[in-house]
Amino acid sequence: MRARQPIEDHALIGDCRSAALLTRDGEVDWLCWPRFDSAPVLGSLLDPSAGGWRLAPVGRTHTSWRYLPGTNVVETTHRVPGAGSLRVSDCLTVASEGEKRRELLPEHELLRIATCEAGEVEVETSIDLRPDLGRAPGRWRDAGALGLRFESGSGLFALRSDRPLAPGAGGARGRFRLRAGETARFSLVYAGDGPAVLSPLGAAADAALLRTERFWRGWSARARYAGPFREAVVRSALALKLLAYAPSGAIIAAPTTSLPERPGGDLNWDYRYCWLRDASFTARALYGLGYQDEAESFVSWLIHTTRLTRPRLRILYDVFGRDPPPERDRPELGGYGGARPVRIGNAARDQLQLDVYGEVVDAACQFVSAGGGLDPDTARMLIGFGRYVCEAWRRPDEGIWEPRGGRTQNTYSKVLCWAALDRLLHMDLRGHLPRAPRDQFCATREAIRAHVEARGWSPALSSYTARLGGGGLDAALLLLPWYGYCPAGAPRMRATWRRISRELSAGGALLYRYPESIDAGEGAFGICSFWGAEYLALGGGTLEEAELRLERLLGHASELGLFAEEVDPGTFAGLGNFPQAFTHVGLVNAALSLENRRERRPQLRHQRAVPHARARPGGAPEARL
């Protein structure tokens, strides 16, 4: 079955609580309210019967689209041959905290404004809500001046427009003509917890759009990055902000579920949750771009969440730090391009991944390096993680890529156990971890290194290996310098890079994550490809090599600058959930390391430059966990 729209031919809009995907031809085919991981109310992305909202001219059009500069507002221009031109602006409305205090605003609002720019255009709109992908019944009814109402078990939806809409069992429909200069406005709001707030239309809707544009421009202007490829870096920052759940600071992996990593296949996972695996990369990207508040919120969520299960860390959590639901299939849905099953929930939640200890502790170290302080309970918790690592590092685990074939001795997991203890020792050295068992941490750290160097390196292959005492290759090994385990220019690391760039190459600058993914028919993995560019920037290659590799990778972005999880190396189409935070974090970090190299600044400074607990830099106010 052919998908109706390529994965990469979508735009993401959101309000930092939930998100929607929009197609180039004017359909919102994915929307989850009230949270990212809520049951979808529009889901035609995964099945034509699962609901969508189309707003576009009647007939054949030539379409172009863009994000308004510095914003997450999408502007689509439809040119109708022989008739005219229609511009449609789409957003989930947002507001500053001050505006929220002054105005009564909806909990969630999807705003669509269509303006005829030239000639005369016949426009059609149809909206079919299918809460929970069609399992939750509901029906539109006419509420007069209050518009159309749709009630389901999860809440109330209200649709208002200054154009006539006819409700029916199949949805709400409207067809009208616009002449040059005329505008039609549509507002869909959702109320789950409180009374419904209906936004006025007319000039008030235009003001809501301008308010949303202003919010995003103000936010993106804070990006502290002046290096190469700035436009791509800022677009990635805006995408990450859309994937952040503002009330808690959590950042989800992607806003979608079940977009396939293999066309038509069964590698379809629900990524609408938060992976600890992403912790240190995400913290580095946010701190590196100057988004201090978002970085501290994210690390605070991280520490709060891990406190709930300490010392055992789960792999993923929901935006409140709870277990995600058990994985279940939805067999009645056709899936994206026939890729089945559609899955809700993610069974990786029950896996053991020892690498997350290194990633969480490294993120905490970045917080401390940025001037944050640890309260006694957090310090005890981090020490507890270190004790757990000392006890558990020899165990087999599933590893960073979450295979479902069982546990093994993953080299990357061992190195990240080393990184956890290394960061703890540096924080202890600066007085942040009173009563840490320094000798135990130090002895175990050295034992892990000795083990990895003896069994994770293959003289025959002249490379670090994916598994201890065995062969295999893993693009995650490119991160050994990133975590300070060895210099990028170390002979063993250079040899490993040569093997990875030869055997995991997907053409150009693209990399697969491991050999088995090639056999499985997966695409090139986005973040692994950016790790290649960053490895060169960290000293594994020349500045020119790093910059060229990064430039080539940016050529695989969608027209709107977004990346999926993977790239089909044959067609360059996007594969997997979209857009993917992991890929955009990889892009940002590669650019940051490239810029540090250009400016001769220290790389990944937090690993060694942890300030003393009693000496905050510049006397800045101390954030505390």
Side-chain angles (χ1 to χ4, degrees):
M1 182 190 300
R2 184 176 180 181
R4 294 194 301 173
Q5 293 286 342
I7 289 173
E8 71 279 8
D9 215 4
H10 285 84
L12 178 69
I13 54 178
D15 59 7
C16 304
R17 288 165 174 76
S18 56
L21 289 183
L22 171 71
T23 68
R24 172 193 288 272
D25 63 3
E27 180 177 4
V28 179
D29 62 358
W30 185 253
L31 172 62
C32 300
W33 269 346
R35 296 193 316 270
F36 298 111
D37 59 344
S38 299
V41 295
L42 300 175
S44 58
L45 177 69
L46 298 179
D47 191 292
S49 68
W53 182 5
R54 189 164 190 274
L55 173 63
V58 175
R60 187 170 59 88
T61 64
H62 301 293
T63 301
S64 60
W65 64 347
R66 62 169 183 159
Y67 280 112
L68 294 180
T71 81
N72 281 314
V73 175
V74 177
E75 183 182 88
T76 307
T77 300
H78 304 274
R79 293 178 177 81
V80 185
S85 176
L86 183 76
R87 183 186 71 238
V88 180
S89 299
D90 287 287
C91 68
L92 295 189
T93 58
V94 292
S96 68
E97 292 304 315
E99 289 166 333
K100 290 177 185 175
R101 286 192 293 271
R102 293 192 299 271
E103 301 177 46
L104 190 59
L105 301 172
E107 289 180 40
H108 299 277
E109 180 183 28
L110 171 53
L111 182 63
R112 313 193 72 181
I113 298 180
T115 299
C116 182
E117 294 188 307
E120 183 173 335
V121 179
E122 186 172 16
V123 183
E124 188 174 43
T125 188
S126 60
I127 177 168
D128 297 313
L129 289 188
R130 294 288 186 272
D132 197 9
L133 297 169
R135 279 188 175 175
R139 182 183 176 89
W140 290 106
R141 66 180 179 85
D142 195 337
L146 299 180
L148 304 181
R149 298 165 68 93
F150 186 106
E151 294 185 45
S152 74
S154 63
L156 170 69
F157 301 88
L159 175 64
R160 304 183 72 225
S161 175
D162 47 18
R163 304 288 159 171
L165 294 173
R173 310 264 184 277
R175 191 161 180 158
F176 52 90
R177 300 188 75 85
L178 290 179
R179 296 182 177 84
E182 293 182 337
T183 296
R185 303 168 182 86
F186 301 84
S187 168
L188 175 67
V189 304
Y190 169 80
D193 297 329
V197 177
L198 305 182
S199 292
L201 297 171
D206 299 339
L209 177 63
L210 292 174
R211 183 188 71 220
T212 300
E213 293 176 17
R214 186 169 60 247
F215 173 91
W216 287 117
R217 287 200 178 97
W219 189 86
S220 62
R222 289 168 44 207
R224 192 182 62 198
Y225 179 79
F229 315 117
R230 188 177 192 281
E231 183 178 351
V233 171
V234 173
R235 176 51 53 197
S236 290
L238 283 161
L240 289 174
K241 181 65 173 174
L242 282 180
L243 301 178
Y245 186 71
S248 68
I251 296 179
I252 61 167
T256 56
T257 177
S258 301
L259 295 183
E261 297 173 8
R262 178 176 57 209
D266 61 353
L267 301 176
N268 318 320
W269 319 113
D270 191 348
Y271 277 9
R272 298 174 298 152
Y273 309 106
C274 315
W275 266 256
L276 296 189
R277 173 189 66 187
D278 304 356
S280 58
F281 307 123
T282 303
R284 194 278 181 114
L286 294 173
Y287 279 122
L289 293 178
Y291 289 110
Q292 189 90 3
D293 292 345
E294 284 78 3
E296 289 178 0
S297 294
F298 172 71
V299 177
S300 295
W301 171 84
L302 189 70
I303 296 299
H304 167 73
T305 294
T306 53
R307 182 178 283 123
L308 300 177
T309 59
R310 63 179 175 179
R312 178 71 186 271
L313 297 182
R314 297 191 183 280
I315 308 311
L316 62 152
Y317 299 82
D318 75 2
V319 295
F320 294 118
R322 304 172 303 200
D323 273 353
E327 183 175 291
R328 63 189 190 281
D329 295 349
R330 295 290 297 268
E332 77 278 17
L333 300 171
Y336 176 85
R340 303 176 70 186
V342 170
R343 292 186 171 97
I344 303 296
N346 196 307
R349 69 178 200 154
D350 299 320
Q351 290 190 351
L352 173 65
Q353 295 180 16
L354 291 172
D355 58 283
V356 299
Y357 288 89
E359 288 139 3
V360 168
V361 173
D362 188 85
C365 188
Q366 292 184 56
F367 171 81
V368 171
S369 184
L374 303 178
D375 61 42
D377 188 55
T378 300
R380 284 193 294 272
M381 183 184 72
L382 292 173
I383 292 170
F385 290 160
R387 293 184 190 279
Y388 182 85
V389 166
C390 290
E391 181 266 329
W393 72 271
R394 292 181 183 274
R395 295 180 188 172
D397 71 339
E398 271 85 3
I400 184 175
W401 301 123
E402 302 168 5
R404 299 195 174 187
R407 297 177 180 178
T408 187
Q409 295 286 353
N410 293 292
T411 302
Y412 178 76
S413 296
K414 309 306 178 192
V415 171
L416 267 289
C417 287
W418 176 94
L421 297 176
D422 186 72
R423 297 302 108 78
L424 290 169
L425 285 165
H426 279 87
M427 287 189 280
D428 172 60
L429 194 64
R430 298 294 187 272
H432 294 278
L433 299 177
R435 293 185 290 279
R438 186 179 306 168
D439 292 344
Q440 180 190 19
F441 287 180
C442 191
T444 305
R445 181 184 63 171
E446 299 316 310
I448 295 173
R449 175 181 286 281
H451 205 63
V452 169
E453 292 302 309
R455 303 197 63 225
W457 168 261
S458 168
L461 298 172
S462 190
S463 170
Y464 287 111
T465 56
R467 290 169 290 281
L468 298 181
L473 198 56
D474 184 350
L477 295 170
L478 292 175
L479 293 172
L480 269 55
W482 205 95
Y483 282 103
Y485 177 81
C486 63
R492 285 191 169 191
M493 200 57 231
R494 285 188 184 276
T496 302
W497 163 245
R498 285 194 293 272
R499 186 173 173 230
I500 286 175
S501 60
R502 182 178 65 247
E503 298 185 19
L504 296 185
S505 172
L510 294 172
L511 294 175
Y512 294 104
R513 51 179 165 169
Y514 45 67
E516 293 84 350
S517 65
I518 305 173
D519 300 336
E522 295 179 26
F525 214 80
I527 195 168
C528 296
S529 303
F530 285 110
W531 287 344
E534 185 164 22
Y535 166 75
L536 296 174
L538 290 174
T542 66
L543 178 63
E544 292 73 22
E545 288 172 330
E547 187 160 346
L548 178 60
R549 199 170 187 91
L550 182 53
E551 183 178 13
R552 287 179 173 174
L553 290 172
L554 295 179
H556 295 293
S558 75
E559 184 180 350
L560 298 181
L562 302 177
F563 280 89
E565 181 179 29
E566 300 182 5
V567 176
D568 186 316
T571 64
F572 303 133
L575 293 172
N577 285 304
F578 181 86
Q580 179 84 350
F582 214 23
T583 311
H584 284 282
V585 163
L587 187 161
V588 171
N589 284 334
L592 289 170
S593 291
L594 181 65
E595 177 64 357
N596 286 340
R597 178 86 175 266
R598 284 164 57 113
E599 299 299 322
R600 301 178 184 275
R601 291 195 291 255
Q603 300 278 19
L604 303 168
R605 190 170 176 270
H606 72 277
Q607 294 174 0
R608 294 293 178 271
V610 178
H612 194 278
R614 295 182 180 277
R616 301 295 162 200
E622 179 184 314
R624 297 192 70 83
L625 289 177

